[in-house]
């Protein structure tokens, strides 16, 4: 009977720890202006100037990331690029891409987050977009990070009324970022909550 009691105690303890871990996970919320409430399920887009470069050849574009937020979990379901023939030819692959928030107000790095980024308004949250693969046509003709792998970019979300998102980082042999002094802007308010 003693072994059974200890086994049950261990199971209950493990369940409590797992429950605490999932309860502390952060999630996205969108503001539904028609209803005047924050919701955990819906669609939002981020649009703004971005740049992809390879061997110091840069392709500046306007990017739009369409997100679906389902019970607080966000995925990029579509990414499109405009502004030139090269931009229009960029193909987002391996969709959907997962978008994962850090702790709300938990970003403690510099502001602006990197040289050339705009200063963001608090609260700031670290955000990672993973599972990314893009094909960039002529003049680059390259798939980043490669034709068989995916990569992750990290950025910072301004959950204030400005709702700006900036990112910069490597994607295999390429470098991708929001253009200097610019950010992607959300079509409706987005925040990160416990």
């Amino acid at each position: 009977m003693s072994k059974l009691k200890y086994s049950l105690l261990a199971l209950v303890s493990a369940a409590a720890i797992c429950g605490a871990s999932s309860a502390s996970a952060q999630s996205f919320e969108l503001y539904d202006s028609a209803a005047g409430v924050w919701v955990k399920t819906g669609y939002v887009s981020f649009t703004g100037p971005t740049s992809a470069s390879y061997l110091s050849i840069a392709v500046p574009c306007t990017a739009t990331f369409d997100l679906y937020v389902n019970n607080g979990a966000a995925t990029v379901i579509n990414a499109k690029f405009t502004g030139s023939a090269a931009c229009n030819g960029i193909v987002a692959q391996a969709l959907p891409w997962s978008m994962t928030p850090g702790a709300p107000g938990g970003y403690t790095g510099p502001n602006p987050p990197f040289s050339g980024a705009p200063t963001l308004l608090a609260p700031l949250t670290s955000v990672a977009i993973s599972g990314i693969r893009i094909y960039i046509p002529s003049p680059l003709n390259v798939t980043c990070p490669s034709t068989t792998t995916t990569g992750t970019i990290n950025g910072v979300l301004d959950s204030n009324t400005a709702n700006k998102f900036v990112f910069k980082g490597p994607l295999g042999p390429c470098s991708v970022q929001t253009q200097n002094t610019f950010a992607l802007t959300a079509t409706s308010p987005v925040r990160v909550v416990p």
Side-chain angles (χ1 to χ4, degrees), residues 27-30 39-43 67-75 77:
S27 62
F28 289 101
E29 284 188 339
L30 311 174
V39 296
K40 288 192 177 289
T41 300
Y43 294 89
L67 275 69
Y68 174 55
V69 179
N70 183 15
N71 199 26
T75 53
I77 57 172

Side-chain angles (χ1 to χ4, degrees), residues 11-90:
L11 282 172
V12 169
S13 298
I17 290 169
C18 290
S21 296
S22 61
S24 66
Q26 308 305 312
S27 62
F28 289 101
E29 284 188 339
L30 311 174
Y31 188 71
D32 181 341
S33 57
V37 296
W38 289 93
V39 296
K40 288 192 177 289
T41 300
Y43 294 89
V44 66
S45 295
F46 282 89
T47 301
T50 60
S51 180
S53 60
Y54 176 72
L55 299 177
S56 47
I57 300 172
V59 179
C61 303
T62 296
T64 299
F65 295 162
D66 296 324
L67 275 69
Y68 174 55
V69 179
N70 183 15
N71 199 26
T75 53
V76 177
I77 57 172
N78 188 36
K80 59 187 173 201
F81 304 86
T82 57
S84 69
C87 294
N88 297 342
I90 293 176

Side-chain angles (χ1 to χ4, degrees), residues 80-142:
K80 59 187 173 201
F81 304 86
T82 57
S84 69
C87 294
N88 297 342
I90 293 176
V91 179
Q93 300 177 343
L95 290 164
W97 302 335
S98 178
M99 191 166 182
T100 309
Y107 174 76
T108 56
N111 190 11
F114 53 87
S115 178
T119 300
L120 303 176
L121 301 173
L124 304 180
T125 305
S126 298
V127 174
I129 303 177
S130 58
I132 299 173
R133 183 188 307 136
I134 57 172
Y135 169 73
I136 306 171
S138 179
L140 302 184
N141 291 314
V142 64

